[in-house]
Amino acid sequence: MRVMLIDDSKTIRRIQRSILEQLGYTEIEEACDGQDALSRVAAFQPTLILLDWNMPNMDGITFLKAFRQRDTTTPVIMVTTESEKTRVIEAIRAGVNNYVVKPFTPDLLQQRIKETLERTTAKA
Amino acid sequence: MTERANTPVPSVIVCAERLSARIVLPVGLDAEAASELSLRAVAKERGVHLTAEAVTLLAEIAERYANGESPIDQEFLRATLPVNGVDAWIEWMDGFNPSEMNDSPEADQSGTIDYYNRQSFIRVSKNEPIATLHAHTEGEDGLDVCGGTLTATAGKRLGMTIDKSLVLSDDRQLVAQIDGVLKLCKGKLRVEPVLEIAGAVDFSTGNIDFDGDVMIREDIRDHFRVRATKDVTIEGLIDASHITCGGNLYARRGVAGRDEGTLDIGGDAEIGYIEQARGKIEGSLSILREIMHSTLEIGKDLTGDAGRVIGGSLHVLGDVRLAEIGSRGDTPTKLILGPKSELTDEGEAAANTHVLNEIEKMRNELRVLQDPTTPRSAVNAERMTELEFEIAEAEAELQALPTNVETPVDAECTSTIEVLRMIHARVTLEISGRTIVFGHELKGPVKIWLEGDTVMHQLGNAEPAPLRGTAGVQDRLAA
């Protein structure tokens, strides 16, 4: 399992990495914004992406739209402070598979990751 | 009359201050007038006190005149000037001159200067010579050319008084009579048995290391050390610093340790408050206000009728009498009573307490951020996530730490706890192998003690009863 973490906050990336490592995922790539992620995503070939919305250079939703043009199957979990219903719908339309609102607890993120992967596996 | 008036005669001139006399022999003196006897007569007539040297010089002058040298105008006598006395002075032994104290720390080989270790006072030991005292001299009078006295000025006596803490030996050495600090203040030299720091312990004083009592009038700043073999009294605040004393500690303002401050007290301590400090007090601790989030070992009693213990872990070998233990916010607070279990590891206990304290701090911060009045910004959301994560990690760490809950303690505990106002929920008492956790608050006054195998309590004047079952107490007996 290869996971890409896309968040401009180093702290959040550190937390996500730690949670993923606890779940047994060790192949982890970090990107600090959408642009950075786009430049590496083809080479890394992630099997799961955790994506922040608000980031400099390229925001999460722009990245997602660009990414979904080339990859429609890799699950993406949006991890963001954007909690308004319209924003959630916008993200779902753009192709996110799950949604976690910051602040989140480690348990919640673990649960969302498991849920998302189970759903993806079931579909496959 | 006119002829006689024009006849040349020798003359002697004495200068105004009688410091010299000269003889004038004009041209045309007859042999008799220019003879040695005549010259001596003229000098005497002028009031000059002739010395042997002056007489010899006059004889030479007369001879030169007889040999045709003329005119002659020559000084033949000078006054003997007075020799003034010398002022008394002190010849300091190396490093003992208070006015030339060099308190600038030197760089080590790497060029690093440790400003914490500068010394701004001079320590002396009993029977240590600190200086040699040179007495003043009276001087020697002189003599003017007419035989009058030129008075010498006597040297001044020592411009300072010497305290009885120093004595003058037969060989005129000043010897300290007590251990202390050498002080020269307002013209008085003395050895003070107490090292008094007039201001704060900071970069102006450096660390304090003193054999005796220490009095500090202001604060002890972060990271400085104070060590004394006897009592330490601090009128200001003790910041995140380190205090070691063989005697008692008096710090009525308090200790703000910020998780770095340490106390190592050989005697008793009387302290205003203690916050985030750790250490050991061999004697009793009298606390005026709170002990917060600290890890302390107290060799005797812990008392404070208005004192509260909030958070942290205290191990008390004697009795406890306090106003409150724990807090309304249910801060986990641990009190270990009586002799320490051989199997209880101090480091583990300290680590346990440290993690508990950290969790509590993070929870407090999280509560503030979660409060509806706090703005929900992205930064706050991120911080809340971080706190949730760190709390979860700390709790996992706590689970992994060995606890004292199931640790047997062989020695019997005879300590009693008396709480005047309240024991709050999440207070843990460890008494002789039992870990007692309060599920709810217990209103005082209440007294708790061990009777046989049973932890007893007495509320006010009520009948004593087992503590188990009161205030949601869980009494976990060692296996």
Side-chain angles (χ1 to χ4, degrees):
Chain A
M1 173 78 73
R2 291 180 305 281
V3 185
M4 179 171 256
L5 310 178
I6 310 169
D7 199 307
D8 58 329
S9 163
K10 205 174 174 181
T11 305
I12 294 292
R13 294 201 307 267
R14 178 178 65 82
I15 291 169
Q16 290 173 343
R17 175 183 278 274
S18 178
I19 291 168
L20 287 162
E21 283 172 353
Q22 282 172 27
L23 290 172
Y25 305 137
T26 51
E27 268 190 90
I28 299 167
E29 180 83 358
E30 295 183 23
C32 61
D33 57 42
Q35 210 168 60
D36 186 25
L38 268 186
S39 68
R40 296 197 226 176
V41 72
F44 184 63
Q45 296 275 312
T47 43
L48 173 70
I49 293 173
L50 302 188
L51 177 66
D52 185 21
W53 191 309
N54 297 305
M55 292 180 289
N57 302 322
M58 182 188 286
D59 63 21
I61 207 77
T62 312
F63 164 82
L64 185 61
K65 286 171 183 169
F67 178 68
R68 282 294 180 231
Q69 285 178 3
R70 69 172 87 156
D71 183 327
T72 54
T73 55
T74 302
V76 175
I77 303 175
M78 184 71 91
V79 185
T80 176
T81 51
E82 298 291 348
S83 57
E84 281 179 28
K85 196 175 165 185
T86 52
R87 303 292 266 175
V88 178
I89 291 167
E90 185 186 352
I92 291 168
R93 281 181 180 156
V96 298
N97 302 73
N98 219 326
Y99 206 91
V100 176
V101 178
K102 292 179 187 173
F104 59 84
T105 62
D107 284 348
L108 180 75
L109 186 64
Q110 279 190 4
Q111 191 190 327
R112 292 280 193 274
I113 292 169
K114 281 180 188 167
E115 264 172 33
T116 311
L117 292 174
E118 278 166 11
R119 266 190 253 152
T120 316
T121 313
K123 274 184 190 173
Chain B
M1 287 294 284
T2 308
E3 265 183 33
R4 197 174 173 182
N6 290 334
T7 306
V9 289
S11 60
V12 166
I13 299 166
V14 175
C15 78
E17 291 177 347
R18 297 184 179 176
L19 295 179
S20 65
R22 70 176 207 274
I23 190 148
V24 180
L25 302 184
V27 177
L29 283 177
D30 59 30
E32 192 181 337
S35 69
E36 180 198 339
L37 282 176
S38 166
L39 300 186
R40 280 162 62 181
V42 171
K44 278 186 178 172
E45 190 179 77
R46 186 70 183 80
V48 172
H49 175 80
L50 287 174
T51 61
E53 290 82 7
V55 169
T56 305
L57 200 52
L58 286 175
E60 284 175 14
I61 291 167
E63 192 178 342
R64 277 164 37 212
Y65 194 87
N67 290 338
E69 183 182 333
S70 70
I72 292 177
D73 181 345
Q74 185 177 335
E75 183 182 280
F76 66 97
L77 182 59
R78 277 193 178 184
T80 305
L81 295 174
V83 178
N84 291 332
V86 176
D87 295 344
W89 60 289
I90 287 184
E91 186 182 357
W92 299 99
M93 305 289 178
D94 266 357
F96 284 103
N97 187 345
S99 55
E100 285 181 6
M101 194 172 59
N102 179 14
D103 65 348
S104 302
E106 289 178 3
D108 63 13
Q109 285 180 339
S110 67
T112 307
I113 296 175
D114 183 0
Y115 286 97
Y116 285 92
N117 276 325
R118 74 187 308 182
Q119 286 287 308
S120 61
F121 55 91
I122 298 170
R123 277 183 297 178
V124 294
S125 305
K126 188 178 177 182
N127 297 325
E128 189 172 23
I130 59 148
T132 303
L133 184 62
H134 296 272
H136 74 288
T137 59
E138 293 296 335
E140 209 172 308
D141 289 345
L143 212 57
D144 67 23
V145 293
C146 296
T149 302
L150 293 171
T151 308
T153 306
K156 288 179 185 164
R157 293 177 183 277
L158 197 64
M160 66 172 77
T161 51
I162 309 287
D163 181 83
K164 62 184 177 185
S165 56
L166 293 157
V167 295
L168 194 61
S169 67
D170 292 341
D171 53 355
R172 299 197 67 77
Q173 284 193 331
L174 279 174
V175 181
Q177 296 302 289
I178 54 172
D179 293 335
V181 182
L182 187 65
K183 288 261 175 129
L184 175 58
C185 184
K186 293 181 180 173
K188 189 169 187 178
L189 186 68
R190 63 184 185 278
V191 179
E192 284 190 350
V194 176
L195 170 61
E196 183 176 333
I197 307 295
V201 172
D202 54 19
F203 287 109
S204 69
T205 63
N207 292 330
I208 305 296
D209 188 349
F210 185 65
D211 295 336
D213 296 326
V214 172
M215 157 69 82
I216 296 158
R217 295 290 182 195
E218 292 178 15
D219 302 345
I220 301 174
R221 306 276 190 234
D222 286 349
H223 309 306
F224 283 90
R225 291 179 181 278
V226 172
R227 190 198 70 83
T229 54
K230 293 185 181 171
D231 296 351
V232 173
T233 304
I234 298 139
E235 294 188 349
L237 190 67
I238 302 172
D239 287 332
S241 48
H242 309 282
I243 315 296
T244 303
C245 67
N248 302 328
L249 171 70
Y250 303 99
R252 294 183 65 88
R253 278 202 60 197
V255 178
R258 291 197 286 282
D259 279 336
E260 290 183 48
T262 61
L263 302 172
D264 187 357
I265 312 303
D268 298 332
E270 186 180 315
I271 301 176
Y273 74 92
I274 304 172
E275 189 175 345
Q276 292 177 298
R278 60 199 154 81
K280 190 173 184 178
I281 295 158
E282 299 279 359
S284 294
L285 169 61
S286 169
I287 189 80
L288 304 180
R289 296 184 292 280
E290 307 88 16
I291 302 173
M292 289 179 286
H293 306 294
S294 296
T295 305
L296 297 171
E297 199 173 311
I298 299 155
K300 292 183 182 168
D301 301 338
L302 168 62
T303 55
D305 283 0
R308 302 165 64 197
V309 178
I310 302 166
S313 171
L314 304 187
H315 183 177
V316 186
L317 293 180
D319 295 332
V320 174
R321 182 182 162 91
L322 291 165
E324 277 183 66
I325 306 176
S327 73
R328 285 181 193 279
D330 300 342
T331 308
T333 305
K334 186 184 268 188
L335 211 57
I336 305 164
L337 286 187
K340 202 168 191 179
S341 159
E342 286 174 14
L343 298 178
T344 302
D345 183 84
E346 191 185 353
E348 287 166 0
N352 203 322
T353 306
H354 178 74
V355 176
L356 277 171
N357 288 342
E358 287 301 311
I359 291 173
E360 189 56 27
K361 272 196 274 182
M362 290 189 285
R363 284 212 171 106
N364 287 337
E365 189 183 344
L366 192 58
R367 272 195 280 273
V368 172
L369 291 171
Q370 285 170 337
D371 192 284
T373 58
T374 305
R376 275 299 165 95
S377 66
V379 173
N380 283 349
E382 188 177 304
R383 179 62 187 149
M384 284 160 79
T385 306
E386 192 177 3
L387 286 167
E388 292 276 13
F389 174 74
E390 284 178 354
I391 288 169
E393 282 209 321
E395 282 175 342
E397 188 187 340
L398 201 58
Q399 292 287 328
L401 279 174
T403 66
N404 300 325
V405 171
E406 294 178 350
T407 309
V409 177
D410 299 321
E412 192 177 331
C413 173
T414 56
S415 304
T416 59
I417 303 177
E418 203 175 342
V419 178
L420 305 177
R421 290 206 289 265
M422 191 82 79
I423 299 177
H424 293 272
R426 298 187 75 189
V427 166
T428 302
L429 303 180
E430 281 190 22
I431 311 175
S432 286
R434 284 158 186 77
T435 299
I436 294 154
V437 183
F438 286 79
H440 312 299
E441 63 185 27
L442 176 63
K443 202 172 175 189
V446 59
K447 202 169 175 179
I448 297 168
W449 70 98
L450 185 69
E451 198 171 289
D453 291 333
T454 310
V455 179
M456 302 292 290
H457 82 294
Q458 183 181 23
L459 283 168
N461 295 323
E463 285 295 309
L467 184 60
R468 184 193 287 264
T470 306
V473 159
Q474 293 173 32
D475 183 354
R476 286 177 283 181
L477 194 61

